[in-house]
Amino acid sequence: MKIAPLRLSCSAVSFAERPPGARGHASVDLPTLAIQCLETNATFRGRLATGAIRIEANGDTLVLNGRLPSYYLKQLLQETLRHVHGVAHVQNHVIVANPCGFLPAK
């Protein structure tokens, strides 16, 4: 049996359109877009509520911090957010630790 790869996309999440010269229409910032993206994703939804993942922006770069239980989830998080509209770079500072808080053996 062949298993299809897990594909995550946040293409539906994008900046609010703002006509040139328009005032009073606030555009959505990158951390908010990233959070919206992850809240629609069953893999990461609960981790945001617990504070396991924290997202900040530095210009067009997302900075990720927190803890996840596997390198797979760390990479999946990075690749998912890399496709959010307006993100040019992702700095992934997430620490991999098992659910009990121990770092994996090297």
Side-chain angles (χ1 to χ4, degrees), residues 30 53-66 74-75 77-79 81-82 87-95:
L30 282 182
I53 300 169
R54 293 178 311 282
I55 303 169
E56 298 173 0
N58 184 5
D60 60 0
T61 300
L62 283 180
V63 181
L64 310 177
N65 289 289
K74 178 180 177 175
Q75 186 67 27
L77 173 68
Q78 176 178 319
E79 289 304 306
L81 294 179
R82 187 171 66 87
V87 173
H89 306 283
V90 176
Q91 292 180 357
N92 193 345
H93 301 289
V94 171
I95 296 170

Side-chain angles (χ1 to χ4, degrees), residues 4-29:
L6 182 61
R7 302 186 87 194
L8 300 174
S9 173
C10 292
S11 58
V13 178
S14 63
F15 282 105
E17 291 297 321
R18 187 175 191 179
R23 293 184 180 179
H25 300 301
S27 62
V28 180
D29 62 352

Side-chain angles (χ1 to χ4, degrees), residues 24-43:
H25 300 301
S27 62
V28 180
D29 62 352
L30 282 182
T32 301
L33 288 174
I35 289 167
Q36 289 173 355
C37 172
L38 295 179
E39 285 178 346
T40 63
N41 182 307
T43 302

